[in-house]
Amino acid sequence: QQPVQSPQAVILREGEDAVINCSSSKALYSVHWYRQKHGEAPVFLMILLKGGEQKGHDKISASFNEKKQQSSLYLTASQLSYSGTYFCGTEIIGRGSTLGRLYFGRGTQLTVWP
Amino acid sequence: DSGVTQTPKHLITATGQRVTLRCSPRSGDLSVYWYQQSLDQGLQFLIQYYNGEERAKGNILERFSAQQFPDLHSELNLSSLELGDSALYFCASSVGPSGNQETQYFGPGTRLLVL
């Protein structure tokens, strides 16, 4: 039930773009994206709901293809502050007790160099 | 600052001991979630409470228990501690009962080290 994230790690120069993918084997209600800096709490980036929507703010956006049970996070013109580990959390469609449970991928470590 | 508070920040204890981790959700949030983050297991959902009642259970060991009090703060009790319980424990909160399609805001975490 844990989603699979790819790639495991990305190294970029400032200004370059990156795409992080999240794939689930289960049908999903939603996909949540978080960024975590070392030793800190995950920080919410955005949530994508069932309906195949795309969202974004500033230079970070994401899409959700519910038919393929996949989501992608797009970071454009990356900045030094984008460095961290990006996690997707998936909310699986199932019996009632699964609601609210987020299954997290293992994370994608993003490093942005000046 | 997410508005979720957790205490203590760090905890060092010995195997076999019992500890209690505390979490206060954001103002207005009724759901509290507990997660464990370790290097080998990643971020794992443990348990969820909504307005004082257990709502969903994840990979929580029988040695662990939790509760949510009338003032909505929550405590996670870890007993008979083992070396493998060393991890970061996060609490998160959200507004509604199911957490369905809702944002979960994470607290700063409690780092537990079992020696």
Side-chain angles (χ1 to χ4, degrees), chain A residues 8-60:
Chain A
Q8 282 188 314
V10 183
I11 299 176
L12 298 173
R13 290 279 184 191
E14 257 187 307
E16 291 182 338
D17 302 340
V19 180
I20 299 171
N21 300 303
C22 176
S23 181
S24 174
S25 61
K26 305 282 187 183
L28 301 173
Y29 276 123
S30 63
V31 179
H32 304 226
W33 284 97
Y34 288 84
R35 175 171 59 213
Q36 185 179 29
K37 307 259 181 187
H38 183 69
E40 298 179 8
V43 173
F44 171 77
L45 292 175
M46 63 187 75
I47 179 174
L48 298 111
L49 310 180
K50 200 159 78 87
E53 63 175 20
Q54 180 148 357
K55 273 187 142 178
H57 57 82
D58 200 11
K59 297 190 176 87
I60 301 177

Side-chain angles (χ1 to χ4, degrees), chain B residues 38 88 99:
Chain B
S38 60
L88 255 174

Side-chain angles (χ1 to χ4, degrees), chain B residues 42-84:
Chain B
L43 201 52
Q44 299 271 320
F45 169 81
L46 295 178
I47 198 164
Q48 179 206 356
Y49 279 83
Y50 169 72
N51 206 19
E53 289 191 11
E54 184 183 303
R55 193 79 181 177
K57 218 166 184 176
N59 303 324
I60 187 166
L61 300 171
E62 284 195 15
R63 300 183 285 108
F64 295 1
S65 65
Q67 54 183 324
Q68 187 180 27
F69 295 87
D71 67 351
L72 301 176
H73 91 271
S74 177
E75 291 181 358
L76 179 67
N77 300 296
L78 315 176
S79 61
S80 303
L81 284 167
E82 301 174 0
L83 296 177

Side-chain angles (χ1 to χ4, degrees), chain A residues 2 29-30 32 34 36 38-44 47-50 87 91 96-106, chain B residues 33 35 37 39-45 48 55-59 88 90 98-108 111:
Chain A
Q2 185 178 37
Y29 276 123
S30 63
H32 304 226
Y34 288 84
Q36 185 179 29
H38 183 69
E40 298 179 8
V43 173
F44 171 77
I47 179 174
L48 298 111
L49 310 180
K50 200 159 78 87
F87 291 96
E91 204 170 2
S97 65
T98 66
L99 290 177
R101 295 179 59 172
L102 288 181
Y103 294 90
F104 283 92
R106 296 307 300 263
Chain B
Y33 310 78
Y35 292 89
Q37 187 175 36
L39 280 173
D40 56 336
Q41 295 288 333
L43 201 52
Q44 299 271 320
F45 169 81
Q48 179 206 356
R55 193 79 181 177
K57 218 166 184 176
N59 303 324
L88 255 174
F90 287 108
S98 68
N100 185 21
Q101 303 177 348
E102 285 185 351
T103 302
Q104 294 184 24
Y105 292 93
F106 280 72
R111 186 174 293 278

Side-chain angles (χ1 to χ4, degrees), chain A residues 33-94:
Chain A
W33 284 97
Y34 288 84
R35 175 171 59 213
Q36 185 179 29
K37 307 259 181 187
H38 183 69
E40 298 179 8
V43 173
F44 171 77
L45 292 175
M46 63 187 75
I47 179 174
L48 298 111
L49 310 180
K50 200 159 78 87
E53 63 175 20
Q54 180 148 357
K55 273 187 142 178
H57 57 82
D58 200 11
K59 297 190 176 87
I60 301 177
S61 62
S63 62
F64 176 26
N65 185 327
E66 63 185 275
K67 287 184 182 172
K68 292 187 177 179
Q69 294 136 212
Q70 290 175 350
S71 177
S72 294
L73 186 71
Y74 307 93
L75 301 108
T76 57
S78 57
Q79 305 167 17
L80 296 177
S81 60
Y82 286 4
S83 292
T85 301
Y86 289 77
F87 291 96
C88 68
T90 53
E91 204 170 2
I92 293 169
I93 293 176

